[in-house]
Amino acid sequence: GIPAIWFKQAAIYACTYLEITKVAARGAFHVIAQENGLISLKFKSIRMREDYVTIGNGVRDIRYRGEFSEWSCSLRIRYNSAVFSAEQVINLVNMGGFCSGLGEMRPSQQCSDQYGMYEVEAAG
């Protein structure tokens, strides 16, 4: 699974690009996790990826990471309707997937890669 807090953190990061303060967003919605704090992940396949990274003092190292193809999950979000509408929350979560993403080598990290990007899809 994916830590539920990652989705909230991505949405909070997206506030930088919207006219919403991070302080207002932090208290206005919550991503509801299962008992273990995770969101169940569905995916077509998984493979081990080898990423070459630069650590302190320019030293190169290798990291092994799981890469999930065609992944999806369902989110339950509780929000304060006096602060945000449902459409605004959806937009915020969607923007989080575009400009932040989840996991390593996501767009908001210095490497500016495209791993971990996601978009909101209508239920049903």
Side-chain angles (χ1 to χ4, degrees):
I2 300 173
I5 192 67
W6 285 8
F7 287 98
K8 183 168 184 173
Q9 289 170 336
I12 299 301
Y13 180 85
C15 290
T16 304
Y17 303 98
L18 302 170
E19 294 182 15
I20 301 168
T21 68
K22 292 179 180 182
V23 172
R26 278 187 193 97
F29 78 98
H30 304 283
V31 178
I32 309 302
Q34 298 166 349
E35 290 181 27
N36 56 7
L38 300 176
I39 301 293
S40 294
L41 185 65
K42 298 175 187 171
F43 54 91
K44 186 174 182 177
S45 64
I46 184 173
R47 74 175 184 95
M48 188 61 65
R49 200 175 73 226
E50 293 181 358
D51 297 324
Y52 294 90
V53 299
T54 302
I55 54 178
N57 298 325
V59 176
R60 301 281 291 166
D61 199 3
I62 190 167
R63 296 286 188 262
Y64 297 93
R65 299 175 171 130
E67 179 178 304
F68 301 89
S69 70
E70 300 180 40
W71 67 272
S72 67
C73 64
S74 296
L75 299 180
R76 285 186 41 226
I77 298 176
R78 182 176 299 141
Y79 67 98
N80 182 341
S81 62
V83 178
F84 289 135
S85 67
E87 292 79 17
Q88 287 173 310
V89 173
I90 291 167
N91 185 51
L92 190 57
V93 172
N94 199 44
M95 284 294 294
F98 178 78
C99 60
S100 177
L102 306 173
E104 293 293 328
M105 298 183 72
R106 63 189 182 274
S108 64
Q109 292 182 319
Q110 290 178 351
C111 62
S112 295
D113 218 324
Q114 296 180 12
Y115 294 109
M117 293 178 75
Y118 60 88
E119 60 185 275
V120 175
E121 220 175 71

